Amino acid sequence: MAGWVAFDGDLRVHAAVLRAMTATLALRGPDGEGVWLSEHAALGHRRLAVLDPGHGAQPMLAMRAGQVRAALAYGGETYNFRTLGLDARTGTDTEAVLRSYLRWGEGFVTRLEGMYAFALWDAARETMLLVRDRMGVKPLYYLPLPDGVLFASEPKAIAAHPRARLRVDLDGLRELLSSVRTPGRTAYRDLREVRPGELIRVDRAGLHAVRYWSPPNAEHRDDHRTTVHNVRSLLAAAVTTQSRADVPVCALLSGGLDSTAVAALAPRPLRTVTLAEPVDATPARAAAQLLATDHEEVTITPADLADPINRATALQALEFPTGLGAFHTSLYLLMRAVREHSTVTLTGEAADELFGGYPWWDAPGGAFPWLTPPHGVQADPEGPPTDVLDPVLSKALDLEAYRDNAYREALSEVERTGDGPADRVRERRHLHLTRLLPILLDRMDRMSMACGVEARVPFCDHHLVEYVTNIPWPAESKRLLREAVATDIPPVVLNRVKSPYPAPTGPEYELALRSQLLHVLEDSASPALPLLDRQRAWHLVVAPIAPPPYAAARRAVELILGLDHWLRRLPITLDLP
């Protein structure tokens, strides 16, 4: 979705602008398009039809006596919409959200359960509500204006507006390169992100943020056996609820604990999909056979990853440069294969953050643990090497100081009980759920939606999160989750060592990347060149090829290529030294 509120002027004469904003989101919604304009509010929508495909066109209007009472542009899923006790003309959750507001007012957000982001205009009150789900699975950005606001599912839609100015200063670049997602912030100076569990009210008095949910801090009183039972029950309920759709549903299956647990608990028949990559396909194949799913293995080659069109499409969906481009492109290609037979996929995302599944979980305090993992442990979201940046810029960025401040800010948000070990667990969980998980959810959402696939996340069910966040679990990695699903998944999976998401890189991929880097460095018009230490960048073209998947040289090349693509595709102004 995309939209605009302006209390000075008449937006009805700006339909072309709204359509241009909405058009940038075509990949997110391939099944329909709609716009609605009034004097002070405008909504645009691209639809991915999941429920009642024949109905539910958006923006959806609530009428009274021929006049618009409320208008809604909505994305995602409200899983409990059928239990809200509302009379509905369609089988869509969109209508349920609209009718919920008309019945309960702003308090309706506490009744909704799911993953969603939406904009709702109340015509009588001249108020726009921007709402995001409790865990922030679905994205929503906004840019305040002197007389209102611009908003959209992705920054590129806001950038399509003639009044939008995307400026990147040092703090924005720090946010981009720190491998830490600060709630509410983006890489752009004035562009904000609606925080998880937040409602933004926009009216003539300005913008007002209301936090309607955060994980409660409560004493956990269940014994171990009851806790294991409740975790299994809550996860099973989440998987069952999130498996409902009026279009084909599948599940990603890596053969690891998280995805196998989701697949095991999902209704049958079930299609499962995995990458046919040596370190991944065999466990997934064994799990699929034991779970009796209709299993598909997707082959992705280094040539597929290096293909400039595939890389550009993934980068365009991501919108930001990254040192882990191969992983994003791999996920994009996997989702493209998913879309051939399914519109919805279940995933195991968020289990590691919720249940402490990372090998660095017990790393010493003082910094974000995924940035200072134990010796021999490589962090998946580790930031790109910044020594390829111009030395003056690199010194001004001082990423170490920025991360230190971000770490202290994150810890200041934790409610402590006075129980040292329990508080330490609470701190670790908070860091992962609020600073790391948003990076991974954003990656999943953007790569899936770029293919017209809705990726659902049962481990982000807020009932499960509320329960687990207060459990003083044992230190063993994921012991609680393993016990909870021990009777549901094959023994071969139960104690499998965690492996990172696969991206089949190799010398062929490395050489192709370096060829693309050469083109960037030889192009005097490349907007990335002023940001680089060009001598170091040229050295990357001829540096020895290191083993995948986390070679620093490759991540540096990926960063440069990402910067070049980012600065060429969006109207960005750099305010840097």
Side-chain angles (χ1 to χ4, degrees), residues 4 9-16 36-42:
W4 182 8
D10 190 341
L11 295 185
R12 290 172 291 190
V13 301
H14 295 294
W36 173 82
L37 298 100
S38 66
E39 184 177 4
H40 299 307

Side-chain angles (χ1 to χ4, degrees), residues 172-220:
L173 205 54
R174 289 170 181 134
E175 186 70 19
L176 189 66
L177 299 173
S178 66
S179 290
V180 176
R181 179 68 65 86
T182 306
R185 298 181 195 168
T186 74
Y188 305 108
R189 178 184 296 168
D190 299 315
L191 185 72
R192 304 287 294 173
E193 187 175 24
V194 179
R195 296 179 63 170
E198 187 175 63
L199 176 153
I200 304 293
R201 184 190 312 112
V202 184
D203 55 28
R204 289 183 178 273
L207 276 65
H208 319 272
V210 178
R211 190 77 181 274
Y212 70 86
W213 181 86
S214 61
N217 188 357
E219 182 183 359
H220 183 77

Side-chain angles (χ1 to χ4, degrees), residues 31 45 47-58 60 74-83 89-97 113-116 240-249 339 343-344 454 456:
D31 300 326
H45 187 266
R47 187 183 186 198
L48 177 63
V50 172
L51 294 171
D52 197 359
H55 302 89
Q58 297 189 50
M60 184 173 285
Y74 166 91
E77 300 294 332
T78 298
Y79 300 124
N80 69 326
F81 77 99
R82 289 188 173 91
T83 66
R89 297 186 179 92
T90 71
T92 69
D93 52 343
T94 306
E95 182 184 3
V97 171
E113 299 178 4
M115 58 171 205
Y116 43 75
T240 299
T241 300
Q242 297 189 28
S243 298
R244 295 169 184 158
D246 295 330
V247 294
V249 177
R339 175 64 188 189
T343 306
V344 172
E454 182 177 271
R456 297 182 178 178

Side-chain angles (χ1 to χ4, degrees), residues 526-541:
S526 169
L529 293 183
L531 305 181
L532 303 179
D533 181 328
R534 300 193 192 186
Q535 183 176 354
R536 286 183 177 272
W538 274 105
H539 177 72
L540 291 172
V541 177

Side-chain angles (χ1 to χ4, degrees), residues 80-220:
N80 69 326
F81 77 99
R82 289 188 173 91
T83 66
L84 294 173
L86 303 166
D87 294 328
R89 297 186 179 92
T90 71
T92 69
D93 52 343
T94 306
E95 182 184 3
V97 171
L98 186 56
R99 291 183 178 275
S100 293
Y101 174 73
L102 296 176
R103 175 177 292 188
W104 295 298
E106 286 188 16
F108 79 124
V109 292
T110 63
R111 298 173 181 265
L112 308 180
E113 299 178 4
M115 58 171 205
Y116 43 75
F118 59 84
L120 191 153
W121 173 252
D122 186 316
R125 297 173 59 207
E126 290 194 325
T127 299
M128 183 72 79
L129 303 181
L130 306 178
V131 179
R132 196 171 180 207
D133 68 74
R134 292 170 178 81
M135 292 296 291
V137 179
K138 304 306 288 186
L140 183 53
Y141 298 86
Y142 65 99
L143 180 69
L145 299 174
D147 65 333
V149 69
L150 299 173
F151 54 89
S153 299
E154 295 181 353
K156 64 169 70 77
I158 294 175
H161 193 285
R163 291 179 64 182
R165 297 290 183 269
L166 297 185
R167 297 183 177 275
V168 178
D169 55 18
L170 283 174
D171 274 343
L173 205 54
R174 289 170 181 134
E175 186 70 19
L176 189 66
L177 299 173
S178 66
S179 290
V180 176
R181 179 68 65 86
T182 306
R185 298 181 195 168
T186 74
Y188 305 108
R189 178 184 296 168
D190 299 315
L191 185 72
R192 304 287 294 173
E193 187 175 24
V194 179
R195 296 179 63 170
E198 187 175 63
L199 176 153
I200 304 293
R201 184 190 312 112
V202 184
D203 55 28
R204 289 183 178 273
L207 276 65
H208 319 272
V210 178
R211 190 77 181 274
Y212 70 86
W213 181 86
S214 61
N217 188 357
E219 182 183 359
H220 183 77

